[in-house]
Amino acid sequence: EPEVTQTPSHQVTQMGQEVILRCVPISNHLYFYWYRQILGQKVEFLVSFYNNEISEKSEIFDDQFSVERPDGSNFTLKIRSTKLEDSAMYFCASSEATGQGRNTIYFGEGSWLTVV
Amino acid sequence: AQTVTQSQPEMSVQEAETVTLSCTYDTSENNYYLFWYKQPPSRQMILVIRQEAYKQQNATENRFSVNFQKAAKSFSLKISDSQLGDTAMYFCAFMKDFGNEKLTFGTGTRLTIIP
């Protein structure tokens, strides 16, 4: 079964450093997302991306965050200058543009970011 | 804005028994989708079941079924013949029916299946 893949599974970084989290969405999906889950809390929406541009972003997604689809398969989340409070599990997700699979979002296994 | 409420932070049940997890939501939308996601200790988010609000029939997926009460804005998940592998955090989530909108999650219910 097709799946969303994410790398790295776990990254430890020093405060102030830049981090790039990578994702390969399901191949026929056209909508891409990043979500965040701070330990012990609920999953929160960060950003959605379609047709090479951001379609929606949350208040969390401030200027230190950016997303990019650098080629036909990867979707990345960059955190420019990490803070302690950025420590969380980051989930990439994707969904189809049309058909029955529309409006069903499939998640990757997550990238656990620890900022020290 | 939509809100999703899961009022049971933790539940436990004996293996092979049936358990029901509660979820309520608040929205002014008429058309929307509701989901249950499972998050085992590995922390992966796994889709369990999906319900379209315009469908009156409750969704079922093998041992998993929902009780969707649109007027009451209630969306509970029933797990029948529970198995040890069902031990996980379960999140209820809401999505508006327009384009590919974001999911709004509840705070989750931690379910433990006791051998």
Side-chain angles (χ1 to χ4, degrees):
Chain A
E1 186 176 321
E3 57 183 25
V4 178
T5 57
Q6 291 185 240
T7 54
S9 57
H10 188 196
Q11 182 162 352
V12 180
T13 189
Q14 288 203 322
M15 191 169 53
Q17 295 295 305
E18 176 182 284
V19 162
I20 297 176
L21 305 179
R22 292 182 169 80
C23 168
V24 179
I26 296 173
S27 62
N28 65 333
H29 287 187
L30 297 179
Y31 285 84
F32 314 120
Y33 309 85
W34 285 100
Y35 286 77
R36 182 181 80 173
Q37 185 184 30
I38 295 171
L39 188 62
Q41 298 185 20
K42 66 179 178 181
V43 180
E44 300 172 293
F45 168 78
L46 288 179
V47 65
S48 58
F49 190 88
Y50 172 70
N51 200 26
N52 283 319
E53 61 182 25
I54 291 173
S55 49
E56 188 175 354
K57 60 183 181 180
S58 71
E59 292 177 354
I60 303 168
F61 194 87
D62 61 22
D63 291 344
Q64 70 162 340
F65 291 94
S66 62
V67 289
E68 193 178 32
R69 187 154 164 85
D71 53 42
S73 59
N74 289 285
F75 179 52
T76 62
L77 174 69
K78 182 191 291 186
I79 310 174
R80 260 181 271 283
S81 177
T82 50
K83 306 172 197 167
L84 294 176
E85 53 265 37
D86 293 329
S87 294
M89 179 73 95
Y90 289 82
F91 291 101
C92 176
S94 68
S95 65
E96 294 180 11
T98 59
Q100 282 286 11
R102 195 175 151 270
N103 298 97
T104 296
I105 295 178
Y106 295 91
F107 286 80
E109 294 190 350
S111 293
W112 179 237
L113 176 65
T114 302
V115 182
V116 298
Chain B
Q2 285 66 232
T3 59
V4 178
T5 302
Q6 294 179 250
S7 59
Q8 305 153 312
E10 293 189 26
M11 295 186 72
S12 60
V13 66
Q14 293 283 347
E15 191 177 6
E17 291 187 348
T18 294
V19 61
T20 298
L21 309 183
S22 300
C23 173
T24 58
Y25 58 94
D26 189 24
T27 184
S28 58
E29 303 288 329
N30 190 47
N31 294 321
Y32 48 87
Y33 294 81
L34 296 163
F35 304 85
W36 279 97
Y37 281 88
K38 167 185 176 180
Q39 188 179 44
S42 64
R43 301 197 68 189
Q44 184 179 4
M45 292 290 288
I46 301 167
L47 177 66
V48 175
I49 200 164
R50 148 195 163 128
Q51 174 79 43
E52 293 90 339
Y54 60 86
K55 288 187 178 178
Q56 292 188 336
Q57 187 174 7
N58 289 323
T60 63
E61 286 287 341
N62 301 314
R63 299 182 294 107
F64 298 88
S65 61
V66 299
N67 183 5
F68 172 50
Q69 301 290 328
K70 190 173 184 180
K73 294 181 182 174
S74 170
F75 182 61
S76 61
L77 174 70
K78 185 171 85 170
I79 306 174
S80 303
D81 184 27
S82 56
Q83 302 174 358
L84 296 180
D86 296 333
T87 292
M89 206 59 181
Y90 286 82
F91 291 97
C92 179
F94 172 100
M95 179 194 285
K96 291 191 294 184
D97 179 20
F98 180 75
N100 280 276
E101 298 286 343
K102 64 180 183 284
L103 286 165
T104 300
F105 284 87
T107 51
T109 296
R110 183 175 302 281
L111 176 66
T112 301
I113 308 300
I114 302 167

